[in-house]
Amino acid sequence: MSFEKLLSPISIGKMKVKNRFVVPPMGTNFGNPDSSVSQQLIDYYTARAKGGFGLIVVEVTAIDPLGKAIPNEIGLWSDDFIPGFKKLVDEVHKYGAKIAVQLHHAGRQTARGVIDGQPVAPSAVPCPVMKDMPRELGTDEVHELIRKYRDAAVRAKKAGFDAVEIHGAHGYLIAQFMSPYSNKRIDEFGGDFISRMKFPCEIVKGVRQDLGADFPILFRISADEKVHGGRTVHETKAIARLMEECGADAMHVSICTYGSMHWMFVPPSVPQGFNTDAAAEVKRSVTIPVIAVGRIHDPYLAEDILLSGKADMISMGRASLSDPEIPNKVAENRIHEISPCIACLQGCVGNLFDPDILKVSCLVNPLTGREGVISTDKTTEPKKVVVVGSGPGGLKAAYIAAQKGHDVTCYEKSTVLGGQFRVAGIPSTKHDILSAIKHYVTMGRKYGVTYKTDTEVTAELIQKENPDVVILATGSVPLLPRIKGIENPSFLKAIDVLEGKREAGEKVLVVGGGMVGSETAEFIAERGSKVTILEMMPAIAVDVPPGPRMYLLARLDEYGVTAITGAKVTEFREDGVTCLIADKEEMLTGYDSIVLAMGSTAFNPLEEKIKDKGYEVFVIGDAIKARKAISATEEALKVAASL
Ligand code: SF4
C-alpha cells in the first residue's frame, strides 16, 4: 500500500492542509493554572507538528471561565491569552502544519472544584456522571454565551490560528443544547429540533460573520450519543447539513457524552475504526470534508477509510500520543517503526484522571508531555549498559539507552522477550500489547541492542560483563499469601494458564478477582469451562479503568462467569477453599482446578549482590514494587535518558 491518499493535500474551505493526518483535540491539562498556554503545551504540540501531522486541533479551550472541564484548561475568554497562543501557533507553523483551536464550554459536564461555581446548562438536569445540579441558563445568558464563542474565535484569529473548531460533541454545552436528552427548554432554544439547533447555528453563523468568508470553521459532533433518549446518527446527519448551511467548512465526527464515556476512550476489545461508519453516514449528508475519529491507529486502516470514501481526513488521537511522528514514518516508509497505541488507557486517560497526576502521558511513549524536559539525543560518553529483564521497562530502557549511543545488552531468562507483559497480551482482547513489545525490540535492534534470551543473570555474569551501568528490570512474581494449603502443586498460576503451560479443567475456581484474575477467568471460560471468581474486595476488576471494566464485565457475563465477592480465603483444600463471607465460614468445593491470581510482588534478587561493586545500578518498574506497566516505562525512559 502506498498511502497516497493519506499523504495527499486537502482543502478545508480556503485552508490547504499538506496531508490527511489530524491530531484531534484531546484535553491534556498541560495549561498553566491560570488557563494560559504553558511551555509544556507548546512542546507537546510542536512535537506533533514536527512529526508531520497536517492539521493540529488544539484541545478544549474555554470561552468562559465557567466553561472549563479540567482544572488547567486553557482559555480564550480574554485578550490576555492571545500572546501565549501566538507563541504556540508560531512554533507549530515552523513545521508546515496548520493549527486550529477548539472553542469549548463544558456546561453541566464539570465540577465546582474546577470552575469555582455552579455549572450552567440548558436545563436543570444533572449530568449522570458529574451529578452536580446545574443552573438553567436564562435566554439572555444564552445570547451572551453565543457572543463569547464569537469573541473567542476573533481572539483565535488574532493569535494566528488557521481555523477554529466549534466543540459540539461529547455532551458539552453545545451538545447539551442540541440533545433532547439534556435540553428540556421550551423557549427559542428548545422544544423542537430546529430550536435545539439555534444555539450551534447562531454560533457558527456569528463566527462566520466575525471572521469573514475565508476563515475555516470546523464543527465537532458526536454522531451517536449512546445514551437512552440521546441523539443518533440519523439526526446528526440533518445537523451536519444544517451546519454546512450555517457556514461550517468541515465536520469532525466523534461519539458519545459523559454518560457513555466508555465510547470515548475504548479499550482494545473495541475494534479499530469502530466509529468510521458513522462518519461515512454524515459524509452522505454534506459536501464539506468529514474527519473520522475513533481508535484509528493503523495507517493501513486509515488509508482504506479514505480510499473507500468513508471520510476525507483521519484523526489519530491516542495514536498521536504513542507516536507523534506517524505521518513522517508513513511518508518515509518506516511503518514498522511506529510506536503503537495499545488502547491500555493507562497514560492518557488514567493519568489525566489520577488526582496525583492530572496530566496526560502514554505507557508506550512516556516522552509524551515531557518533550521539552527529557532528551534522547546522542551522548558524547557512551557506556556499557546491561539491562536485566525484558518486560516493558527493560525493553524500553534498552532501546532508549541504545538510541542515545550506549552499548546495550538486554537479558531475559525465558526463551522469549517481553516478560509478563507478553503474557498479558495473550487474552483475546489484549493482543495490541504484543505490538508494543515488537516495537521496542524493532527499535532496540535498529540502535544495536544485543538481546540474550534463555539466560538467567547472576552476579558472576555481571562481573564478567563488567558494565558501567546495570538496569534491573526483573519485574514481579505471583504473590502467594501464607494461607494453609496454598502450596498444593495441583494448583495453577494464572500466568501459567495464559501461557499454555498448564490447562484448567471443566469446573474452575479463580482465586483473586483483580485484572489478572478476571482476564484469566475470561480466558478459561471462553474455552468452555465453568468459572467462578473468588474475590476479597466487594467487587471484581476494580483495578481496571472504569470504561474497559464495563466491557470486561459484559464479556464475563456473556461467558457465564460468576463472582463471589467479599470472600476471604482461610484455607485451601484439594478441590476448593474455606473462606469467610460476611464473617460466616463457608466451604466452596467440587472444583476441578484452582487458579491462583492473588497479585504480584516485586522480584529483585540482584540488587543486594551487585551494589557497591563499582557499577551504576538502577532498579525500575515492578522490581521496585508491583504496579501498572506505565510506571515501568516511565522509569525506564527517565533512567535511560539520564545516562
Ligand atoms: Fe494508547 Fe495506552 Fe498510550 Fe493511552 S497510554 S495513548 S491508550 S498506549
Side-chain angles (χ1 to χ4, degrees):
M1 208 181 260
S2 64
F3 305 108
E4 249 173 57
K5 194 80 178 173
L6 262 174
L7 296 168
S8 65
I10 185 172
S11 293
I12 296 180
K14 293 275 190 298
M15 173 174 70
K16 193 153 185 184
V17 183
K18 65 180 178 182
N19 59 38
R20 310 297 178 100
F21 288 97
V22 181
V23 175
M26 291 175 291
T28 60
N29 210 32
F30 291 160
N32 289 319
D34 65 358
S35 292
S36 60
V37 169
S38 67
Q39 190 56 46
Q40 185 183 25
L41 195 91
I42 293 173
D43 294 337
Y44 162 77
Y45 283 114
T46 305
R48 272 100 201 132
K50 206 171 167 184
F53 278 89
L55 173 63
I56 290 172
V57 186
V58 170
E59 65 199 77
V60 284
T61 300
I63 55 117
D64 183 276
L66 265 189
K68 291 196 305 176
I70 48 177
N72 292 8
E73 180 168 331
I74 45 179
L76 261 176
W77 61 80
S78 147
D79 288 353
D80 296 343
F81 294 120
I82 295 174
F85 280 104
K86 191 163 178 352
K87 217 172 141 197
L88 165 65
V89 168
D90 289 347
E91 284 304 313
V92 165
H93 278 163
K94 282 182 189 165
Y95 299 97
K98 297 290 191 235
I99 180 166
V101 62
Q102 189 185 51
L103 304 180
H104 168 251
H105 190 300
R108 67 181 190 169
Q109 286 186 173
T110 187
R112 285 173 201 246
V114 171
I115 58 170
D116 201 16
Q118 185 181 9
V120 295
S123 306
V125 179
C127 160
V129 175
M130 304 311 290
K131 297 196 165 54
D132 206 351
M133 177 60 75
R135 180 177 65 76
E136 179 170 318
L137 288 158
T139 307
D140 288 351
E141 288 179 292
V142 181
H143 284 288
E144 254 176 63
L145 279 168
I146 294 168
R147 187 69 256 169
K148 287 184 178 180
Y149 276 96
R150 294 174 61 167
D151 292 347
V154 171
R155 290 185 194 106
K157 190 176 179 184
K158 282 186 186 160
F161 279 102
D162 301 294
V164 292
E165 178 171 284
I166 309 296
H167 197 348
H170 302 163
Y172 291 119
L173 186 66
I174 292 176
Q176 286 158 35
F177 271 95
M178 292 199 296
S179 179
Y181 167 69
S182 43
N183 183 346
K184 309 295 172 182
R185 303 173 76 98
I186 49 167
D187 65 355
E188 62 192 280
F189 292 102
D192 55 21
F193 171 77
I194 201 64
S195 304
R196 280 189 274 122
M197 295 312 133
K198 183 168 181 179
F199 188 58
C201 284
E202 294 285 309
I203 291 169
V204 174
K205 281 196 240 169
V207 170
R208 171 62 64 230
Q209 198 182 321
D210 294 345
L211 301 190
D214 290 348
F215 199 84
I217 302 171
L218 288 69
F219 192 86
R220 201 161 207 223
I221 194 162
S222 292
D224 194 318
E225 293 190 305
K226 295 278 185 190
V227 285
H228 297 299
R231 292 189 309 93
T232 67
V233 71
H234 306 295
E235 193 174 273
T236 297
K237 284 161 60 85
I239 297 172
R241 200 180 284 274
L242 206 51
M243 290 306 132
E244 182 174 4
E245 279 173 21
C246 290
D249 295 298
M251 294 300 294
H252 196 170
V253 182
S254 189
I255 190 169
C256 83
T257 81
Y258 272 20
S260 52
M261 206 184 288
H262 55 287
W263 284 104
M264 197 182 315
F265 321 107
V266 295
S269 58
V270 177
Q272 276 203 55
F274 67 95
N275 197 39
T276 307
D277 287 344
E281 277 299 308
V282 170
K283 192 162 160 55
R284 288 168 62 193
S285 296
V286 292
T287 61
I288 51 180
V290 168
I291 307 170
V293 67
R295 197 160 127 69
I296 306 172
H297 299 165
D298 198 316
Y300 291 96
L301 182 90
E303 179 75 0
D304 179 68
I305 292 168
L306 297 177
L307 285 175
S308 51
K310 290 184 171 178
D312 303 287
M313 298 182 84
I314 303 292
S315 268
M316 291 191 173
R318 288 181 284 166
S320 69
L321 301 179
S322 68
D323 196 338
E325 293 182 86
I326 294 179
N328 285 351
K329 289 179 181 173
V330 170
E332 293 159 15
N333 198 20
R334 292 191 287 134
I335 309 292
H336 56 287
E337 290 189 14
I338 291 173
S339 169
C341 170
I342 58 172
C344 64
L345 300 170
Q346 284 190 21
C348 44
V349 184
N351 278 13
L352 185 64
F353 290 146
D354 182 333
D356 295 329
I357 304 175
L358 291 175
K359 282 183 195 298
V360 157
S361 190
C362 172
L363 184 157
V364 180
N365 173 30
L367 195 58
T368 291
R370 300 179 172 97
E371 290 85 356
V373 289
I374 290 187
S375 164
T376 54
D377 291 349
K378 272 245 182 296
T379 178
T380 50
E381 291 172 34
K383 294 175 181 167
K384 185 169 181 185
V385 180
V386 162
V387 179
V388 187
S390 75
L395 290 178
K396 182 81 186 175
Y399 140 42
I400 298 296
Q403 185 182 8
K404 286 193 58 129
H406 298 294
D407 170 14
V408 184
T409 305
C410 177
Y411 285 95
E412 165 60 46
K413 77 174 170 200
S414 91
T415 50
V416 197
L417 296 170
Q420 289 193 46
F421 203 43
R422 182 184 58 80
V423 182
I426 291 174
S428 307
T429 61
K430 301 292 286 286
H431 49 274
D432 288 24
I433 288 175
L434 305 179
S435 64
I437 296 171
K438 178 151 185 193
H439 166 72
Y440 285 159
V441 177
T442 302
M443 298 311 288
R445 291 212 167 103
K446 172 177 172 168
Y447 293 113
V449 175
T450 303
Y451 294 101
K452 291 194 177 170
T453 53
D454 241 340
T455 311
E456 178 131 24
V457 176
T458 59
E460 292 70 41
L461 178 73
I462 291 187
Q463 196 183 5
K464 202 169 134 213
E465 284 272 2
N466 194 26
D468 303 301
V469 179
V470 182
I471 299 174
L472 297 173
T474 40
S476 57
V477 289
L479 177 70
L480 296 179
R482 284 168 193 252
I483 299 172
K484 194 175 166 197
I486 198 168
E487 300 291 351
N488 190 328
S490 74
F491 294 172
L492 316 177
K493 292 195 183 95
I495 186 168
D496 292 336
V497 173
L498 292 174
E499 272 204 287
K501 289 181 180 163
R502 305 276 305 269
E503 245 180 293
E506 279 181 22
K507 195 175 172 203
V508 182
L509 183 68
V510 176
V511 183
M515 180 166 73
V516 173
S518 300
E519 287 180 351
T520 306
E522 179 196 4
F523 181 81
I524 298 167
E526 201 183 354
R527 279 145 190 83
S529 299
K530 189 168 166 35
V531 185
T532 302
I533 299 173
L534 193 70
E535 168 57 39
M536 200 162 70
M537 308 269 281
I540 60 165
V542 290
D543 53 344
V544 179
R549 182 171 181 265
M550 273 185 68
Y551 292 95
L552 172 60
L553 295 185
R555 294 197 304 274
L556 289 173
D557 199 38
E558 190 185 320
Y559 291 127
V561 175
T562 51
I564 300 169
T565 54
K568 187 170 186 294
V569 178
T570 52
E571 183 179 349
F572 282 89
R573 314 180 74 84
E574 191 61 32
D575 64 343
V577 295
T578 305
C579 57
L580 284 176
I581 302 176
D583 290 331
K584 204 168 147 240
E585 192 168 84
E586 305 250 0
M587 261 218 304
L588 306 170
T589 52
Y591 294 96
D592 303 315
S593 303
I594 310 288
V595 178
L596 303 174
M598 301 175 84
S600 304
T601 184
F603 181 65
N604 180 13
L606 278 173
E607 188 183 8
E608 276 302 310
K609 294 178 191 159
I610 62 167
K611 71 175 188 192
D612 307 326
K613 298 272 193 239
Y615 331 113
E616 253 187 293
V617 178
F618 298 93
V619 186
I620 60 170
D622 277 11
I624 300 173
K625 184 179 177 221
R627 289 160 295 162
K628 291 182 190 156
I630 190 170
S631 308
T633 57
E634 284 181 335
E635 287 157 16
L637 173 68
K638 284 179 196 163
V639 165
S642 74
L643 299 178

